[in-house]
Amino acid sequence: MISRNFSAAISGGKREPISNTGLLLSITICTFIGMYVLAMLIWGGGFLNPQQFLDIFNNNAFLIVISCGLTVVMIAGGIDISVGGITALVTMACVVYLDDHGGSVIGSMGLALGIGAAFGLVQGILISYLDIQPFIVTLAGMFFAKGMTTIVSVAPRTAVHEAFVAFKQFRIVIPGIGSFGKSGNFIPAKIEIGVIAAIAVVLAVTAILKWTRFGRNLYAVGGNKQSALMLGINVKRTKFYSHLLSGFLAGIGGYVYLLHTGAGNASNATAAEMQAIASAIIGGTLLTGGVGNAIGTLFGVLSLKNINNIVIASGLREPYWQSITTGLILCFFILLQSVVLALRGKGSFNQQLPEWLKFRDKEDSKDLTS
Amino acid sequence: MDNGLKKFSRSQLVVPLFSLFLLIVFNLIRDVGFFSVIVTTNNEGNTVLSGNLISILNGASELAIIAIGMTLVTASSGGQDISVGAAAAIAGSVFVRVLRENQITMPIILAAFLAGCVVAIIFGSFNGTLVAAFKIQPMIATLILFTAGRPIAYWINGGATPTVSSSLLNYIGSFIPGIPIPTPIIIVIIFGVLVSLVLRFTNLRLYTQAVGINERSARLTGINAAGIKLLSFMILGVCVAISGSIGVSRIGLINHETLLLDIEMDAILAVAIGGNSLGGGKFSLTGSVIGAYIIQALTITLYAMKVSSTAVKAYKAIVIIAIVIISSPIVKEYALRLRGRLLGKPKEVTENQ
Amino acid sequence: MQEGIVLSMHRICKAFPGVRALQNVDFTLRKGEIHALMGENGAGKSTLIKVLTGVYPKDSGQVYISGINREITVKSPQEAQNLGISTVYQEIMLCPNLTVAENMFIGRGNYRFVNWRSMEEKATEILTKLNIPVRATQQLVACSLAVQQMVAIARSVDMDCKVLILDEPTSSLDESEVAKLFSLMRELKSRGVGIIFITHFLEQAYEISDRITVLRNGELVGEFEVEKLPRIELVTKMMGKALDDISELQNRKASNINTDTAPVFEASGLSSAGGARTFDFKIHKGEVNGFTGLLGSGRSESVRAIFGADKITGGSVKVEGKNVRITKPKDAMKHGIGYLPEDRKQDGIVEDLSVRENILLALQVMKGFFRPFSKAEAEAFADEYIRLLGIKTASADTPIKSLSGGNQQKAILARWLLTNPKYLILDEPTRGIDVGTKVEIQKLVLKLAEEGVSVTFISSEIEEMLRTCSRLIVMRDRKIVGELTGDDMTQLKIMHTIAGEAAQNG
C-alpha cells in the first residue's frame, strides 16, 4: 500500500504507475538526500562544506565510471567482475608507457581505452558466442589483468611525465561555491578532471540506455531472454556489446583512477568490482536483469561513499567500521528490493514458456528467472 | 568394458582428469624429477616427506575442503558463496581468540575449533536465510558478508593480528611427530571420508540435486527445499571453519586481511573445473576436489618455472579459460561435428542434446 | 495458387522417434477467414503450427504463401515473421519490463535511436484503431493477460502479417476478456488477415470461426464449414475410434463406494494463498471424483490446497474422520495423499535425475533423510514399476528428460503408486500424451478405485472425466458451482453448469 501511494506521489500528475526502475531509483535518491540532510543537521561541520561533498566525486570518479559499465551488463542479466583488475592494469600500463617509453598524454588515453576495449572484446566473445558463464570468464579476466599488472611492473610506480602531471593537477574551480578557511579567506570548491569524465559517462550511458536501440534491447534481453529472441532481437550480439561497453568503460575508469592518484599499483582498485556491483544494486539495478539505470548507479556510489563520511563523523574512526556499515547498508537495500518487488508482485519476470522454446543453457535461464 | 569406457567418456570428470594429466605430463617433460618425494628431517627433528607433490597436496588442503562445501551450495542454490574467505577469517579469528584466552591444550584447541565452527555456521545460516527465505541470488546475498566479513574478523581480536604459538598448534599446521605426512593432508582425507559417509548414509545428494534441478518438483514430493539450501550453506560454514583453523595453525597467527585471501574465486573455479554446472543440479564432489588440486598444481608448476607469485594469476587465467572453452557445449558440439565430417560418420550427437 | 488463399500446406509429414506426428496433412487458409484448428491433445495441431512457424523442420510436403510464387521453407520463428506468419502464444512472448509501445516496436525495422514520442504516437494510433483498451506508455507487466495478448496481436498486425496464429489464446481469459479478443479478431478479419485459431472450447470455435479443420492422431479428418457441421458430429470426428474404448470403460464404472465409514478425506472451508477460495470437499474410499471447469476456474488450485502445495490460509481437514493439519506436501504424504501435478515439466519431473531416482523420490522422502534405500532395493522398486506400467526407457539410469511425455507421466504416476496412497490426486494426467497411454491411465485409475484407493481426476477433456469419474464437482470463478452424479453426468449438463447463467444468454 505504502509503495503504491508513494509511487502515485512520485509520478505526480500522470496516471501511469511508476515502473520498477523508477521506484527503486526514487528510493535510492531519497535515501541519499535524506542521509546527507540528516548528516548536515546532526554533525554539520564537514557536511556543510561543499568541498566535502565534491570530494565524494573527486575520490570516486573511477568507481562511478566502472559502476556504469556494470549497470549495463547487469541490466542485460550478466555480470562483469574484471573491472577492478582492468582498472589496475590500465593505471600501471599508462604510467610505464608515459615514463619509460616517452609516451604522450593522448597516447596514454588511447592505451587505456585500448586495454579496456580488448578485455571487453575477448570477454564478450567468450560469453555471448561461446556461451560460457560470465562469472567464470570475467573472473579469469580479473586474474589475467591483475597478473599482467605485476608483469608490467611489480613495484608501484608514480608518474613523473611532465605534461601528464600538469594534466592531472588541473582543477576546475566551481564559481561561487566554497568555504572559508581558518583565517577567513575564501577557498573555492574544486573538482578534478576525472569528475567531468565520470559525469559525461553517466550522461552518455543514461542516454544509451534510454534512447538507443541497443539500450532498449539490453532491457529486453534482461527482462526475458526468450521473449527478446522471439521479438527479433539479436540476443547474442546485445550481450556481446554489453560486455564490450563494460570493458571500454573499465578502461576509462582506469585512466580516471590514474588522474586521481597519479600512480600505477597492482593493489589499485582492489575489490572495486564488488563496490561497483554494490553501487549498482543500491542504485536500483536488479542482478536478475531488466531493471536499472545509470543515474541510480551514480546515487548508489554517492550513498555508499557518504556512509563512510557519516561513520567517521559519528566517531567510529577505526577503518573496519566503514566496511561493516557498508555491509549493513547493502543488506538493507538488498532486502528492501526483495520486499518491494515481492509486494508489487512483479519480482520475477519469469513468464511461462512453451517447453520447446526453452534455451538449452539451463544455467543461464535459471539465473535469469530464479 | 567398452560400455564402461563409453560411460566414462561422457562423465564430467573427463576434462578435469585430462587437464590434471596434461599438467603432470608437462611437468615430467620439463623436469623428470618434478614429482619425486624426498624424505628429510625438519627443524623439529621429525622425519617428514617433502617435494613438489607433497606441497601441491598440502597447499590445496584448505581449497579442497572449501570446494566441497561450495559444490553443495552451487548444486542446491544455483549460485555461489563469495563470502567464504571472509567467513574463514572470522572463524579463524574466533579460533585464535579462544586459544589466546586459555592455556593451549588439545581440548582447548578442539573447543576453539568448535567455537569457530558455530560462528561460521551462524554466518552461513545468515547467507542461507537470505538465499532460501528471501530468494536473493547467492552472489548478491553473500556480497554483504564479503564486504563486512574481514572487518568483523578484525574486530573480534580487538583490532590486532595476534599470534598464538604452541607446538600443539604446529601439529595441526605442519606435522605430527612420527607421521611424515603433513597434517592438513590427513585432515582432508578424514574430511573426505566423512563427507562420503554422509553422502552414503543420507539422502543429501538426492535432495540437493532434486532441489537444484527443479525446486518446484522437489517441494511437491515433500522435500523441504528451503531447508536443503540452508543446510548446504551451513555445511559450507563447517568447511570454512576447518579451512580457517588450518590456515591459522600453519602460521600461528591470524591476519584478517590475508587469511585465505581470494579463496572464494579459487573455490568457484575448482567447482567449475570439476565439471559442475554453476547453475546447480547434478554435482560431483570428486570433480571439485580434483579441480582444487589442478589449481594448486598449476600454481606450484608456475612457481617452479620461476614465475613470480604475483604474476601467477595471469597464467592461471589463461589455463582456466582454456579449460572452460574445451568444456563449453558449443565447442564440444563443433568439435564432434568436425570429427564427424572428417571421418564421414553420420552425426548422432544432436540427439542427445 | 488460387485467388483468395493466403496459405496452403500440402501433404505435410513429420515424424519423431517412434511417433508419426503428422501424416499427409493438408491445410488451407483463405483471406479474411477465421479458421479453427481442432483435435484432441496429441492430434498434431501444435506440431502442424510448429512446422509452419519453423520450429520443427518438416519431413516432407509443401508450404505456399500468397505473394511468393514458389514453395517456402521456414527455418526459424523470426523467418516466419518476416514472411508474414505471426504467432501469439498462450504464454505471452513479450518483455514485461518494457512499455506497451516498446513491446510493439522493439526488434523491428532499421533504427539506431528511439524516438519515444513518435513511437508512442504510432502505438496509440494502432491501439485505438484496433480498439485495445491500454495506454501505449503503460508497462506491460501492469496489463491484464488479455491485454498483453492483444498487444502481441497488435504487434503482429502492424508487421503486416498475412497469417495470424492464435494458439489457445482464450484458455486463461475470462468471458468479458474473450469477448474483447473476439471483437479484435473480427476487426482483423475484416482487414483481410487470415487467422488460425487453435482452441479446445467448442462454443468458442462455433462462435467465431468460419471453417474448422479437424486433426486426429496426426491425420487430417477433414475441413468443414461451421454451419454444416453439427456439434455432435464435430465431437465424434475429434474422438474418432476412441469411442470403442469409451464404451468398454464406461461399463466398468460400477462403483463400490463405501459411504458408511468416514470419508477418506474431508475438507471444510479450505482456502489457499495460491488462489483457492473457501471450499468444502470430501471423498470416500474407492471413489473416483473429478473437478471440472475451465482452465483458471480454480480446479487445480483446489487440489493443490488439498495437498498443501500452496500456503493454506484457512479451513480444517479430516483424514479418515480424524482432524489433521496439512500445511506442506510432506504432511499430506504422511496421511497417504499423493498428487500428480498439472504441469509435468515444471512441477513433476526432476529433469536431470534418472528414471529410477524420479520414481523413488516420494517414497524416499517419506522414508526419511537419514535412511536412504540401498542400491538393490532402489533397483528392485524401480524395475518393478517400470515393468508394471510399461515405461519405455533405455534403462532405469536414463535421465527422465530424454523420455517421451507419456513415459515421463507414467514415471511420475509410478512415483506416487509406490507410496501406496489412500487418496491419489491426478491433475491432468493425460495432457499431452498419446492416445494409447491415455486409455492405459484411465484404466489404471479405475483399477485403483476397485482396489479401494480414492482418486480425484482432473482433465480438460470432459469425455475423459465422464468415462472415469462417478462424481463431478463443477467449478467456475474459483467457486464450486455444482456437483453431478449418476444420470446427471452428461456433457450438456456439465456445459450448462460450467456456463451458469451465461448459457441462457448464449
Side-chain angles (χ1 to χ4, degrees):
Chain A
M1 258 339 269
I2 295 165
S3 69
R4 210 165 289 162
N5 292 338
F6 176 68
S7 57
I10 293 278
S11 53
K14 274 199 199 159
R15 283 180 22 255
E16 234 43 270
I18 190 166
S19 65
N20 286 337
T21 312
L23 178 64
L24 294 173
L25 174 63
S26 24
I27 290 175
T28 308
I29 295 179
C30 290
T31 316
F32 173 71
I33 293 173
M35 219 159 62
Y36 206 88
V37 168
L38 265 179
M40 285 201 282
L41 291 177
I42 297 172
W43 292 289
F47 289 97
L48 294 171
N49 183 349
Q51 188 62 49
Q52 179 169 337
F53 178 75
L54 292 177
D55 277 344
I56 302 180
F57 284 86
N58 285 337
N59 295 336
N60 299 293
F62 90 99
L63 187 59
I64 296 173
V65 176
I66 63 173
S67 300
C68 283
L70 259 157
T71 308
V72 169
V73 174
M74 282 166 72
I75 286 174
I79 190 89
D80 186 348
I81 54 172
S82 67
V83 289
I86 298 174
T87 302
L89 177 59
V90 165
T91 57
M92 186 63 89
C94 286
V95 171
V96 170
Y97 169 73
L98 285 166
D99 289 355
D100 297 0
H101 300 275
S104 65
V105 173
I106 298 290
S108 65
M109 283 183 189
L111 180 66
L113 299 185
I115 291 173
F119 270 89
L121 185 80
V122 175
Q123 293 181 158
I125 289 173
L126 292 175
I127 291 164
S128 47
Y129 294 105
L130 288 185
D131 228 354
I132 303 172
Q133 287 151 336
F135 189 91
I136 292 298
V137 171
T138 55
L139 176 65
M142 179 183 91
F143 279 179
F144 187 72
K146 288 197 167 169
M148 282 307 288
T149 311
T150 59
I151 291 173
V152 173
S153 163
V154 176
R157 297 277 304 263
T158 304
V160 289
H161 188 278
E162 264 177 46
F164 176 77
V165 171
F167 183 48
K168 168 184 140 31
Q169 280 166 349
F170 186 78
R171 293 285 182 277
I172 295 155
V173 175
I174 305 209
I177 303 175
S179 56
F180 291 94
K182 280 186 189 113
S183 52
N185 56 328
F186 182 77
I187 307 165
K190 294 172 195 149
I191 55 169
E192 296 174 14
I193 295 178
V195 177
I196 304 291
I199 299 296
V201 165
V202 170
L203 294 178
V205 171
T206 306
I208 288 173
L209 288 175
K210 178 82 181 170
W211 285 292
T212 67
R213 178 179 194 148
F214 164 66
R216 301 318 294 174
N217 287 357
L218 284 173
Y219 284 93
V221 169
N224 189 328
K225 203 158 81 170
Q226 266 78 30
S227 292
L229 199 66
M230 292 302 287
L231 290 173
I233 292 166
N234 191 332
V235 173
K236 288 190 171 179
R237 197 166 64 198
T238 307
K239 280 209 284 190
F240 168 72
Y241 279 123
S242 75
H243 283 278
L244 183 61
L245 183 58
S246 170
F248 185 73
L249 288 178
I252 297 181
Y255 202 79
V256 168
Y257 194 103
L258 186 62
L259 281 178
H260 181 63
T261 64
N265 188 343
S267 68
N268 275 351
T270 302
E273 57 279 344
M274 293 306 167
Q275 287 192 23
I277 294 172
S279 303
I281 290 169
I282 294 174
T285 308
L286 291 186
L287 196 87
T288 43
V291 175
N293 66 43
I295 300 283
T297 302
L298 170 65
F299 279 95
V301 175
L302 296 181
S303 303
L304 200 63
K305 291 301 168 181
N306 191 37
I307 296 286
N308 292 350
N309 291 342
I310 291 179
V311 169
I312 292 169
S314 64
L316 301 168
R317 286 181 183 280
E318 293 90 341
Y320 58 81
W321 281 112
Q322 294 181 11
S323 300
I324 292 178
T325 43
T326 303
L328 285 175
I329 210 96
L330 191 60
C331 183
F332 170 74
F333 273 96
I334 289 171
L335 286 176
L336 183 81
Q337 272 189 12
S338 154
V339 171
V340 164
L341 293 180
L343 280 180
R344 285 163 71 91
K346 296 155 196 169
S348 52
F349 295 127
N350 50 345
Q351 301 253 325
Q352 298 301 310
L353 286 159
E355 196 55 37
W356 47 271
L357 270 170
K358 292 236 163 92
F359 270 11
R360 227 171 353 133
D361 50 343
K362 198 175 80 194
E363 301 84 68
D364 260 8
S365 52
K366 236 181 200 170
D367 283 348
L368 289 171
T369 54
S370 62
Chain B
M1 180 59 210
D2 189 41
N3 200 10
L5 202 69
K6 214 174 191 177
K7 214 170 177 182
F8 175 74
S9 74
R10 287 198 187 155
S11 143
Q12 65 178 75
L13 295 182
V14 173
V15 174
L17 281 176
F18 184 66
S19 313
L20 194 58
F21 174 74
L22 272 187
L23 258 175
I24 292 170
V25 169
F26 174 77
N27 275 314
L28 288 178
I29 292 171
R30 218 175 42 78
D31 171 12
V32 183
F34 188 75
F35 289 108
S36 59
V37 175
I38 315 153
V39 181
T40 54
T41 310
N42 71 353
N43 303 342
E44 276 119 66
N46 295 323
T47 310
V48 296
L49 298 176
S50 74
N52 284 322
L53 186 63
I54 297 298
S55 46
I56 289 171
L57 292 176
N58 189 11
S61 303
E62 290 98 320
L63 181 57
I65 291 171
I66 288 184
I68 288 174
M70 188 70 86
T71 312
L72 290 174
V73 164
T74 303
S76 71
S77 69
Q80 289 75 37
D81 184 341
I82 57 168
S83 69
V84 285
I90 293 175
S93 296
V94 171
F95 184 66
V96 169
R97 172 96 196 233
V98 175
L99 290 183
R100 270 202 311 156
E101 289 177 3
N102 294 284
Q103 186 74 37
I104 298 177
T105 58
M106 219 52 212
I108 288 298
I109 291 181
L110 194 66
F113 165 69
L114 286 178
C117 247
V118 168
V119 171
I121 290 174
I122 290 171
F123 279 104
S125 312
F126 170 75
N127 287 335
T129 309
L130 288 179
V131 172
F134 289 91
K135 313 235 174 289
I136 296 165
Q137 291 185 344
M139 238 196 78
I140 298 301
T142 53
L143 181 61
I144 297 167
L145 200 55
F146 174 89
T147 315
R150 289 189 188 268
I152 291 173
Y154 187 55
W155 168 76
I156 288 173
N157 278 305
T161 55
T163 53
V164 275
S165 56
S166 150
S167 58
L168 284 173
L169 210 57
N170 242 342
Y171 292 169
I172 299 173
S174 50
F175 293 92
I176 298 172
I179 300 174
I181 302 165
T183 319
I185 298 181
I186 298 171
I187 295 176
V188 172
I189 293 169
I190 294 172
F191 187 70
V193 169
L194 268 177
V195 169
S196 49
L197 284 178
V198 167
L199 287 179
R200 175 76 182 75
F201 290 107
T202 70
N203 286 310
L204 186 63
R205 177 185 291 275
L206 181 69
Y207 283 24
T208 306
Q209 292 187 156
V211 169
I213 296 167
N214 190 337
E215 188 179 339
R216 288 172 56 170
S217 294
R219 219 179 71 79
L220 286 177
T221 44
I223 295 173
N224 181 351
I228 290 293
K229 284 188 191 174
L230 188 59
L231 180 67
S232 67
F233 275 95
M234 289 164 79
I235 294 174
L236 179 57
V238 175
C239 298
V240 157
I242 298 174
S243 298
S245 306
I246 295 177
V248 168
S249 307
R250 276 189 202 278
I251 46 173
L253 72 88
I254 172 76
N255 184 339
H256 65 281
E257 285 297 344
T258 56
L259 180 69
L260 301 186
L261 189 64
D262 285 343
I263 197 154
E264 49 274 350
M265 303 301 176
D266 278 345
I268 297 169
L269 271 176
V271 173
I273 292 175
N276 296 300
S277 155
L278 292 188
K282 297 206 93 163
F283 66 87
S284 155
L285 292 181
T286 319
S288 299
V289 172
I290 294 174
Y293 288 115
I294 290 178
I295 293 173
Q296 190 64 24
L298 186 62
T299 312
I300 298 284
T301 308
L302 290 169
Y303 285 158
M305 290 168 71
K306 307 273 182 279
V307 173
S308 78
S309 66
T310 46
V312 160
K313 278 180 179 168
Y315 297 95
K316 224 155 121 180
I318 294 170
V319 175
I320 290 156
I321 285 294
I323 293 176
V324 290
I325 288 178
I326 294 168
S327 40
S328 135
I330 290 185
V331 175
K332 264 186 194 163
E333 210 174 284
Y334 179 78
L336 282 167
R337 230 183 301 149
L338 200 69
R339 194 183 69 178
R341 207 182 301 154
L342 289 177
L343 301 178
K345 267 191 197 166
K347 55 172 183 175
E348 44 157 351
V349 197
T350 41
E351 211 67 65
N352 295 325
Q353 292 297 312
Chain C
M1 208 154 78
Q2 266 174 278
E3 191 61 28
I5 291 179
V6 284
L7 170 79
S8 72
M9 301 173 80
H10 285 297
R11 303 185 69 77
I12 303 292
C13 292
K14 174 74 197 169
F16 297 108
V19 196
R20 280 199 181 164
L22 292 175
Q23 292 178 58
N24 297 327
V25 174
D26 292 340
F27 183 80
T28 312
L29 183 68
R30 290 155 192 82
K31 201 166 186 262
E33 112 176 316
I34 298 178
H35 196 137
L37 185 58
M38 301 194 75
E40 282 197 300
N41 285 331
K45 294 168 300 193
S46 55
T47 314
L48 186 68
I49 295 308
K50 285 175 199 168
V51 165
L52 177 59
T53 51
V55 177
Y56 297 152
K58 58 180 186 295
D59 294 346
S60 67
Q62 298 92 42
V63 181
Y64 299 95
I65 192 160
S66 69
I68 297 170
N69 285 329
R70 53 191 162 74
E71 196 188 320
I72 57 165
T73 326
V74 188
K75 289 194 201 73
S76 71
Q78 280 98 319
E79 202 181 327
Q81 270 183 17
N82 296 339
L83 287 165
I85 304 170
S86 290
T87 317
V88 175
Y89 299 96
Q90 180 190 332
E91 298 90 355
I92 292 131
M93 296 274 183
L94 296 177
C95 288
N97 55 335
L98 303 182
T99 68
V100 168
E102 281 195 279
N103 267 300
M104 287 170 67
F105 291 102
I106 201 164
R108 297 168 45 191
N110 278 317
Y111 63 95
R112 260 169 209 288
F113 300 98
V114 181
N115 184 340
W116 285 82
R117 188 183 288 171
S118 85
M119 182 173 79
E120 275 158 12
E121 273 169 10
K122 255 199 282 181
T124 310
E125 191 186 312
I126 299 163
L127 293 171
T128 8
K129 213 161 61 184
L130 297 176
N131 206 3
I132 298 172
V134 68
R135 287 186 306 281
T137 49
Q138 233 165 348
Q139 270 216 309
L140 191 77
V141 72
C143 305
S144 73
L145 221 51
V147 168
Q148 294 191 22
Q149 224 150 28
M150 292 181 191
V151 172
I153 295 175
R155 177 185 164 98
S156 309
V157 171
D158 192 51
M159 288 172 78
D160 289 325
C161 73
K162 296 175 217 161
V163 178
L164 179 63
I165 303 164
L166 301 176
D167 189 359
E168 303 221 24
T170 55
S171 48
S172 41
L173 304 187
D174 66 29
E175 274 172 56
S176 63
E177 286 174 325
V178 170
K180 277 184 213 153
L181 181 69
F182 280 4
S183 66
L184 175 59
M185 282 165 71
R186 292 198 182 94
E187 168 75 31
L188 296 178
K189 179 183 160 176
S190 69
R191 288 157 188 269
V193 179
I195 300 177
I196 303 175
F197 178 47
I198 301 171
T199 183
H200 275 306
F201 301 115
L202 299 184
E203 302 290 330
Q204 293 179 357
Y206 275 93
E207 188 185 336
I208 189 103
S209 49
D210 305 303
R211 246 174 260 265
I212 296 177
T213 290
V214 180
L215 298 180
R216 188 178 64 230
N217 292 342
E219 286 175 56
L220 179 71
V221 177
E223 187 196 87
F224 310 95
E225 285 187 31
V226 167
E227 296 87 42
K228 294 175 189 160
L229 183 72
R231 277 166 209 224
I232 186 70
E233 232 175 274
L234 173 62
V235 173
T236 43
K237 284 190 194 308
M238 282 165 65
M239 308 277 291
K241 53 182 181 280
L243 279 170
D244 309 340
D245 276 317
I246 301 172
S247 47
E248 185 204 334
L249 282 169
Q250 233 150 11
N251 294 338
R252 291 173 50 189
K253 209 171 67 183
S255 57
N256 55 344
I257 302 160
N258 185 352
T259 46
D260 302 337
T261 55
V264 167
F265 179 89
E266 187 173 6
S268 53
L270 199 61
S271 63
S272 81
R277 301 227 183 112
T278 317
F279 72 98
D280 298 335
F281 169 76
K282 65 179 172 191
I283 187 163
H284 287 279
K285 192 170 157 65
E287 186 185 357
V288 181
N289 87 328
F291 276 88
T292 183
L294 302 177
L295 256 176
S297 62
R299 45 179 211 200
S300 296
E301 289 80 355
S302 301
V303 292
R304 282 178 70 90
I306 292 172
F307 190 63
D310 296 320
K311 197 177 172 227
I312 304 298
T313 50
S316 63
V317 172
K318 279 183 192 168
V319 171
E320 292 178 325
K322 273 180 280 208
N323 269 317
V324 296
R325 265 170 59 86
I326 295 181
T327 52
K328 55 180 190 291
K330 201 169 178 185
D331 298 339
M333 287 161 67
K334 276 185 197 145
H335 293 109
I337 305 176
Y339 166 64
L340 184 136
E342 178 188 15
D343 189 335
R344 184 177 62 236
K345 292 249 161 79
Q346 295 263 336
D347 292 340
I349 61 170
V350 183
E351 302 92 324
D352 296 322
L353 290 189
S354 69
V355 176
R356 181 193 305 126
E357 283 165 315
N358 266 288
I359 290 178
L360 232 60
L361 199 55
L363 187 63
Q364 180 64 77
V365 169
M366 285 176 74
K367 196 177 174 206
F369 182 76
F370 293 103
R371 299 171 61 208
F373 283 113
S374 72
K375 211 171 171 207
E377 280 176 307
E379 271 167 13
F381 275 132
D383 289 347
E384 182 190 343
Y385 275 83
I386 287 173
R387 201 159 13 88
L388 211 64
L389 295 182
I391 299 172
K392 289 192 192 92
T393 172
S395 81
D397 287 319
T398 315
I400 196 166
K401 63 181 173 187
S402 57
L403 267 58
S404 74
N407 284 309
Q408 288 180 3
Q409 193 69 291
K410 281 185 188 170
I412 304 301
L413 203 54
R415 174 192 291 173
W416 292 110
L417 294 180
L418 197 54
T419 63
N420 201 6
K422 287 184 279 201
Y423 173 31
L424 188 57
I425 302 166
L426 305 175
D427 194 352
E428 296 268 17
T430 57
R431 179 197 271 182
I433 61 179
D434 57 290
V435 180
T437 314
K438 262 184 206 179
V439 175
E440 272 178 57
I441 288 180
Q442 290 165 22
K443 283 181 182 161
L444 183 73
V445 167
L446 294 176
K447 187 162 154 268
L448 285 173
E450 261 170 38
E451 287 167 4
V453 179
S454 313
V455 181
T456 288
F457 189 87
I458 296 179
S459 168
S460 324
E461 293 170 55
I462 289 176
E463 298 82 4
E464 202 172 69
M465 306 267 286
L466 290 175
R467 263 173 264 159
T468 43
C469 303
S470 56
R471 182 164 61 103
L472 276 184
I473 291 164
V474 184
M475 297 197 74
R476 182 178 66 237
D477 296 339
R478 314 244 148 136
K479 280 198 286 273
I480 295 180
V481 292
E483 200 170 309
L484 305 172
T485 47
D487 294 339
D488 281 348
M489 282 175 51
T490 63
Q491 201 151 15
L492 195 69
K493 199 92 180 195
I494 296 168
M495 289 294 190
H496 275 297
T497 320
I498 288 176
E501 304 80 41
Q504 273 100 50
N505 301 337

